[in-house]
Amino acid sequence: MRSPRRVQGDPPFLLSTSPPTRNQERLAVCVLVVLLAELLVTAPFARIPLAGTEILLPAYGAAILLIELITSALLLALFSVQQSRAVLVLAIGYLFSGLMVIPWTLTFPGVFEVFGLDAGLQVTASIAALRRLGFPLFVLAYALLKDGGAPVRGSRGSVRGAIAGSVAGAVAAACGLTWVILANDDSLPTFMRNARNVTDAWQYVPGTAVVLYLAALAVLFVRRRSVLDLWLMVVICTLLIEIILLSYISAGIRLSVGWWGGRSYGLASASMVLLVLLSESTTLYARVARSVSAERRARATRLTAMEALSALIAHEINQPLASMVTNAGAGLRWLEKKDPDIAEARAALNRIVSDGHRAGTVIESIRTMFKKDARDRVPLDVNHLIDDVLRRGQDDARLGRISVETDLEPGLPTVTGNPIQLQQVLSNLVANAIDAMCSVTGRPRVLRITSRMHDPGEIAVSVEDSGPGIDPEHRARIFEPFFTTKPDGMGMGLMFCRLIIEAGGGRLWATDNVPQGAVFRFTLPSSDDHLRPVGGPGR
Amino acid sequence: MSANLLIAVVDDDDSAREAAVSLVRAMGFTASGFRSAAEFLNSGEAARTACLIADVRMPGMGGLDLYRQLVASGTPVPTVLVTAFPEEATRARALRAGVGSYLAKPFEPDELLDCIRSGYARGAGEPG
């Protein structure tokens, strides 16, 4: 997993903010390889003229116009959400490029002659030059703006205003430039020798374009962060291939194989951001939908957790209460005897006292479990806790003929938590592991506990058993309240373990053990080590 | 009643076990506590146990399975199952399996006494 290079405060789940995945990067490289292969295939035939293909130009122009307008609209929608100037500039770049296709197609020599549309020889080439040099400038501006400064934080109205103003500006610029070019037909630079062939003066246009493309590519590469950046880099590469095909390999001969090949790249590059915008928004939408439903599920589980809490209280309190009643009954009977046995009665009363304390401890520990403040949270040595729990559980382990192995990393930093709670978690996991191995025959029953430094600042503890393992059908449900596979289980233990661990900023999950059994693993963040660790709960 | 006969209390909860043992002894029986089904089975006391009081839910083998195991091994000890979490389904299962009584904790001493007496009657033939 690569770390997302998302700028703090940016809305997540946007094309312009979410980092590309490894797969997307691979796909981008594949696209480039395919395009390069096409270039190599086309190159030998590039200068063969294809006569009479003017007829295809209006279709090409219409396709480009439509694609670039839709792309622009989607980018504007993105801007209205993210309010990043960079995205607005890019959207306007696509809009301008799309709009300039209209005069380019209309003035192309020999295309619309039947309608009497025949501008001067240099008009089409001048418009092409504007488009060619304009688009990389917009991309360059996007790349330079995208990380800089705060987004335009404004009201909905001001966003709408910015969009309307920019669109109007782009339309005005396209119309104005076209008018200037048409009106100054005579003073335009001489780009074309005739309707098909370019002059030497034209060479400055592709040359400059190549420089701009390379600059845009370099800035995008250095500042690449999002899915959008990645695909814009592919777009620029495509345009680079296009200009090489159009201007160098086919020597600028219009309507040749190379020229049309270049046009196909133009179409590909125009479609690319659109396709990515569409497919990525679908993917991102799916991701958002998934996380929303996960959130909803989590909320439902939390509600059941509240119900579970009352059951837990009943569960934990009922035992000492029942013992108190039985002890009281026993004490009364010892006293009611013809020859009252004071010692036995006293023993019974003492047990009542300790049951009362036990009930109090349970109430207190349930209370701390849900208490937000850190009053009862102290630095704890995980290894001490493990030793403590194993010492308490050693009778159970011995009875179950289970061999206990530990692999505790010495000198681990402490974790911060409530000792009673963490002890509950550990003893619950240990008890589960012991229970799971009761049915094991024919192979060793091994309970293995390890503690490790996980990631820096995180400690991982695993409780492994060699029992039958977790039924894949149950895997997803074992942490749900009231879910149990034990005939007499309450189905509360693992849910509360997870609650406690997650409240401590950690994670608890289950995996399969090799060759057999289950592993319950939890992580906890390590605390600042200037505090002195406390071992057990200190009874 | 025979002093040689034993009431066995099997419960993993220390406090509950000690309380039950004390109560049974206060009633005049000889009683002994065991922390788990395995401890009871390994103790060799099953043969002289007149009545078994076992908790339903214990780590490892629960009370019902302990009873079944005793029946299977040819020493069906009259058994009272006790639980802090009574469930109708478990109760029905227990009674179907032939368990004499199923009591919810905290049980009334007299109720337990009746159960022990009837267990005695069934198991030892002769109540004391």
Side-chain angles (χ1 to χ4, degrees):
Chain A
M1 244 354 225
R2 56 211 332 266
S3 60
R5 286 163 292 183
R6 209 161 68 71
V7 168
Q8 201 82 42
D10 270 356
F13 299 126
L14 289 179
L15 277 177
S16 43
T17 54
S18 44
T21 63
R22 210 157 275 296
N23 274 344
Q24 286 164 334
E25 285 175 349
R26 269 191 215 120
L27 182 64
V29 172
C30 284
V31 168
L32 277 183
V33 169
V34 169
L35 293 177
L36 276 173
E38 197 193 325
L39 171 70
L40 294 178
V41 170
T42 333
F45 316 102
R47 299 188 185 192
I48 299 171
L50 295 170
T53 47
E54 288 94 339
I55 197 155
L56 293 174
L57 258 173
Y60 170 77
I64 294 273
L65 171 66
L66 212 58
I67 288 168
E68 294 197 330
L69 286 187
I70 295 173
T71 308
S72 170
L74 284 173
L75 286 170
L76 285 174
L78 192 61
F79 164 72
S80 72
V81 179
Q82 199 201 348
Q83 303 179 10
S84 139
R85 275 192 203 91
V87 174
L88 180 62
V89 165
L90 191 64
I92 296 308
Y94 268 96
L95 180 62
F96 178 74
S97 175
L99 289 175
M100 290 307 278
V101 162
I102 303 173
W104 179 79
T105 313
L106 289 178
T107 59
F108 201 90
V111 175
F112 286 101
E113 269 169 356
V114 278
F115 301 123
L117 280 174
D118 192 11
L121 194 56
Q122 311 306 332
V123 169
T124 314
S126 300
I127 294 170
L130 268 179
R131 269 193 85 218
R132 178 68 59 197
L133 301 178
F135 186 72
L137 283 175
F138 279 107
V139 175
L140 202 55
Y142 161 81
L144 291 172
L145 276 174
K146 72 193 191 70
D147 292 344
V152 204
R153 283 271 171 262
S155 63
R156 192 156 277 282
S158 75
V159 170
R160 225 177 279 152
I163 292 176
S166 310
V167 169
V171 172
C175 293
L177 286 169
T178 306
W179 181 79
V180 168
I181 288 170
L182 285 172
N184 300 293
D185 194 2
D186 303 335
S187 47
L188 290 172
T190 318
F191 286 139
M192 302 301 293
R193 217 160 357 129
N194 54 41
R196 293 287 155 87
N197 298 295
V198 292
T199 62
D200 288 342
W202 172 256
Q203 294 311 324
Y204 292 111
V205 175
T208 317
V210 165
V211 170
L212 286 176
Y213 288 154
L214 289 176
L217 203 56
V219 178
L220 276 174
F221 183 80
V222 171
R223 317 183 78 173
R224 75 186 188 285
R225 210 154 52 78
S226 62
V227 181
L228 189 60
D229 300 346
L230 174 74
W231 288 100
L232 275 177
M233 279 164 62
V234 177
V235 166
I236 296 292
C237 288
T238 317
L239 287 172
L240 207 54
I241 298 173
E242 180 192 24
I243 199 80
I244 289 168
L245 253 179
L246 277 179
S247 300
Y248 299 109
I249 295 179
S250 65
I253 303 168
R254 277 182 178 169
L255 306 180
S256 60
V257 169
W259 191 87
W260 274 114
R263 292 292 153 209
S264 77
Y265 280 94
L267 202 58
S269 90
S271 325
M272 206 159 307
V273 166
L274 178 61
L275 286 178
V276 169
L277 278 171
L278 290 177
S279 78
E280 287 303 314
S281 15
T282 314
T283 318
L284 289 174
Y285 175 76
R287 215 190 294 166
V288 171
R290 257 203 307 281
S291 79
V292 166
S293 73
E295 171 75 14
R296 217 170 273 163
R297 258 203 315 282
R299 209 177 302 142
T301 319
R302 265 200 294 282
L303 279 180
T304 0
M306 289 313 290
E307 293 162 14
L309 176 64
S310 55
L312 175 92
I313 294 171
H315 177 265
E316 296 289 334
I317 300 300
N318 212 14
Q319 283 279 21
L321 272 184
S323 295
M324 285 164 93
V325 172
T326 308
N327 273 317
L332 284 173
R333 279 182 180 256
W334 287 117
L335 292 177
E336 283 161 3
K337 278 179 173 296
K338 270 202 299 281
D339 186 10
D341 192 327
I342 304 295
E344 288 282 4
R346 181 178 293 127
L349 282 173
N350 278 328
R351 286 195 298 272
I352 293 176
V353 170
S354 64
D355 283 333
H357 285 309
R358 183 172 144 209
T361 314
V362 170
I363 297 273
E364 189 52 34
S365 79
I366 292 173
R367 236 162 52 81
T368 51
M369 187 185 300
F370 294 90
K371 200 154 58 182
K372 281 269 182 256
D373 73 21
R375 206 159 14 128
D376 293 308
R377 290 163 61 82
V378 291
L380 298 167
D381 183 329
V382 172
N383 290 348
H384 280 181
L385 276 179
I386 293 171
D387 285 339
D388 210 57
V389 167
L390 285 179
R391 207 169 36 248
R392 280 156 202 256
Q394 66 187 3
D395 285 339
D396 290 331
R398 192 170 37 77
L399 287 170
R401 295 192 304 284
I402 288 161
S403 53
V404 179
E405 295 175 4
T406 52
D407 179 6
L408 309 181
E409 189 174 313
L412 283 178
T414 57
V415 299
T416 306
N418 178 302
I420 297 172
Q421 283 183 7
L422 280 183
Q423 207 176 32
Q424 278 174 348
V425 170
L426 273 166
S427 35
N428 215 316
L429 296 180
V430 166
N432 276 350
I434 292 177
D435 283 357
M437 287 186 283
C438 277
S439 59
V440 169
T441 49
R443 63 170 187 273
R445 302 174 174 187
V446 183
L447 166 68
R448 195 179 134 82
I449 303 196
T450 65
S451 67
R452 284 270 173 285
M453 194 70 205
H454 194 50
D455 288 333
E458 206 170 46
I459 285 160
V461 174
S462 68
V463 178
E464 304 167 24
D465 66 61
S466 60
I470 304 161
D471 190 332
E473 269 182 48
H474 298 150
R475 171 68 54 84
R477 299 189 55 207
I478 53 174
F479 293 105
E480 287 178 14
F482 298 115
F483 179 80
T484 181
T485 56
K486 301 178 195 174
D488 302 308
M490 277 281 290
M492 307 285 276
L494 285 175
M495 185 203 76
F496 275 95
C497 286
R498 179 170 268 188
L499 273 182
I500 290 168
I501 293 295
E502 287 180 354
R507 241 156 45 80
L508 168 66
W509 71 101
T511 51
D512 289 324
N513 201 358
V514 179
Q516 208 129 26
V519 182
F520 284 86
R521 212 182 293 273
F522 67 81
T523 60
L524 279 173
S526 61
S527 45
D528 297 330
D529 24 5
H530 60 270
L531 293 159
R532 230 170 56 79
V534 176
R539 293 230 147 180
Chain B
M1 54 187 85
S2 169
N4 197 29
L5 284 176
L6 181 75
I7 310 286
V9 177
V10 184
D11 198 323
D12 62 308
D13 187 289
D14 292 347
S15 161
R17 184 179 64 248
E18 283 164 17
V21 167
S22 175
L23 180 64
V24 172
R25 282 178 50 237
M27 289 167 177
F29 301 94
T30 312
S32 197
F34 301 90
R35 295 192 68 226
S36 69
E39 195 180 313
F40 174 67
L41 291 171
N42 294 336
S43 70
E45 298 277 40
R48 71 178 189 107
T49 301
C51 184
L52 172 69
I53 299 168
D55 191 40
V56 172
R57 188 183 307 169
M58 290 185 288
M61 191 186 284
L64 184 52
D65 284 335
L66 172 59
Y67 174 75
R68 286 189 176 130
Q69 171 120 359
L70 289 168
V71 171
S73 65
T75 47
V77 179
T79 299
V80 177
L81 286 183
V82 292
T83 179
F85 318 101
E87 275 172 322
E88 203 36 57
T90 318
R91 177 196 184 84
R93 217 148 42 94
L95 297 182
R96 253 201 323 277
V99 168
S101 311
Y102 179 93
L103 297 182
K105 290 182 190 174
F107 33 73
E108 284 301 313
D110 289 334
E111 204 180 7
L112 182 66
L113 192 59
D114 288 345
C115 293
I116 293 172
R117 285 214 175 104
S118 68
Y120 244 87
R122 282 202 303 157
E126 292 289 310

